[in-house]
Amino acid sequence: MMKAELISCLGTDLTVVNAARVSFDKESEWEVNHSVRKELSAKDAALICYLAKHDHFTPFTHCMITLRETVPIFVARQRFKHTIGFTYNEVSRRYVDDTPEFYLPDLWRFKADNVKQGSHYTGLTSQEVNGKLRDKEEANGLIMSPEEIYDDCLKTYKQLLSIGVCAEQARMVLPQSMYTSYYVTGSLSAFARAYKLRIDKHAQREIQELAEKWNAIIKDLYPVSWEALTDGK
């Protein structure tokens, strides 16, 4: 399961509007009513749509979002490829030696024949696909199931620690399916760019699931800007 938790955010849709209008030394007109959240006018919303449509991304960079994401290492490594507009701080197993958890998919997908990388879903039920995986394991003479491999890795990791091996070396035996956790801070424009790439049907399904988490959080924080930036995807 991919997890994303909102830690903090900065700015609103109105921030985007005023960041754009400052070019003319203007601000959106709105009633000053203590700390009550101000609603955008139709003119403000139209400006946001114009900015997004014509790739005026800088006004959207003044809104910032910090999430804590918890995903398997192989998903995190794809996530960290998004560097422009993002900063990351990850849990380090040089310092942490608690019991790790591992990701095990409900569904094992077949390799796609028409692409160099990736997978596809044939329409079989999860049970049928997993059954075929077990048959393939037996046919190829695989020694252990993924669950058994995880169990052995965890036992070896704990044994290494118990005899005094340092955590920064003991972690070498842990698989890419191990969950990791990190803080990620990025601008609204950076999240939108990453989202459009990772929600695409050609992206790996696991990172599509993470992108769905971004959408669930951010669409409520910046409803007009997010829809304009992501084309309502």
Side-chain angles (χ1 to χ4, degrees):
M1 179 179 178
M2 311 304 128
K3 183 178 178 182
E5 174 190 2
L6 177 65
I7 301 301
S8 63
C9 64
L10 172 69
T12 65
D13 283 328
L14 188 61
T15 305
V16 176
V17 172
N18 285 334
R21 291 208 168 118
V22 76
S23 298
F24 298 93
D25 199 18
K26 302 290 185 182
E27 282 191 337
S28 179
E29 295 181 2
W30 32 290
E31 289 187 14
V32 179
N33 187 14
H34 301 294
S35 60
V36 175
R37 184 175 180 179
K38 316 304 184 299
E39 293 186 1
L40 293 180
S41 67
K43 189 176 180 180
D44 292 335
L47 174 59
I48 288 175
C49 291
Y50 176 89
L51 295 169
K53 180 179 179 180
H54 294 279
D55 296 323
H56 295 285
F57 74 92
T58 55
F60 298 100
T61 65
H62 297 280
C63 296
M64 302 295 292
I65 305 142
T66 298
L67 303 180
R68 179 161 186 167
E69 298 177 3
T70 303
V71 299
I73 287 177
F74 69 89
V75 175
R77 295 305 164 254
Q78 288 188 326
R79 175 66 171 103
F80 288 9
K81 290 180 180 179
H82 298 283
T83 57
I84 298 174
F86 288 106
T87 56
Y88 301 89
N89 285 92
E90 185 179 8
V91 170
S92 174
R93 284 204 166 265
R94 289 190 67 195
Y95 315 119
V96 175
D97 60 5
D98 59 353
T99 300
E101 296 183 2
F102 305 108
Y103 171 75
L104 186 68
D106 294 328
L107 174 68
W108 291 94
R109 299 181 299 275
F110 290 114
K111 179 181 181 297
D113 297 326
N114 60 340
V115 292
K116 292 183 178 179
Q117 59 184 8
S119 58
H120 67 88
Y121 178 54
T122 63
L124 299 174
T125 66
S126 175
Q127 183 176 0
E128 288 171 327
V129 173
N130 287 337
K132 284 183 176 292
L133 174 70
R134 286 191 292 272
D135 291 342
K136 186 176 180 181
E137 286 178 353
E138 293 173 2
N140 290 341
L142 294 183
I143 298 172
M144 293 186 292
S145 69
E147 293 92 333
E148 291 171 326
I149 292 172
Y150 293 171
D151 187 56
D152 274 8
C153 288
L154 181 57
K155 287 178 180 177
T156 303
Y157 176 68
K158 289 183 174 180
Q159 287 172 349
L160 289 170
L161 292 174
S162 70
I163 62 174
V165 172
C166 59
E168 65 182 1
Q169 285 188 311
R171 62 181 174 167
M172 296 178 191
V173 302
L174 297 172
Q176 289 191 57
S177 58
M178 182 186 71
Y179 279 100
T180 187
S181 186
Y182 50 86
Y183 267 42
V184 52
T185 297
S187 68
L188 181 57
S189 59
F191 268 101
R193 183 170 56 249
Y195 173 75
K196 288 198 290 184
L197 288 171
R198 295 306 184 175
I199 202 63
D200 185 89
K201 65 180 181 179
H202 297 100
Q204 184 168 339
R205 179 56 197 154
E206 285 78 10
I207 204 163
Q208 287 184 47
E209 292 177 15
L210 180 58
E212 290 166 1
K213 302 294 184 184
W214 303 338
N215 180 58
I217 292 171
I218 300 172
K219 69 180 182 180
D220 292 332
L221 300 175
Y222 312 96
V224 178
S225 297
W226 187 249
E227 182 172 4
L229 287 167
T230 62
D231 303 318
K233 289 184 178 181

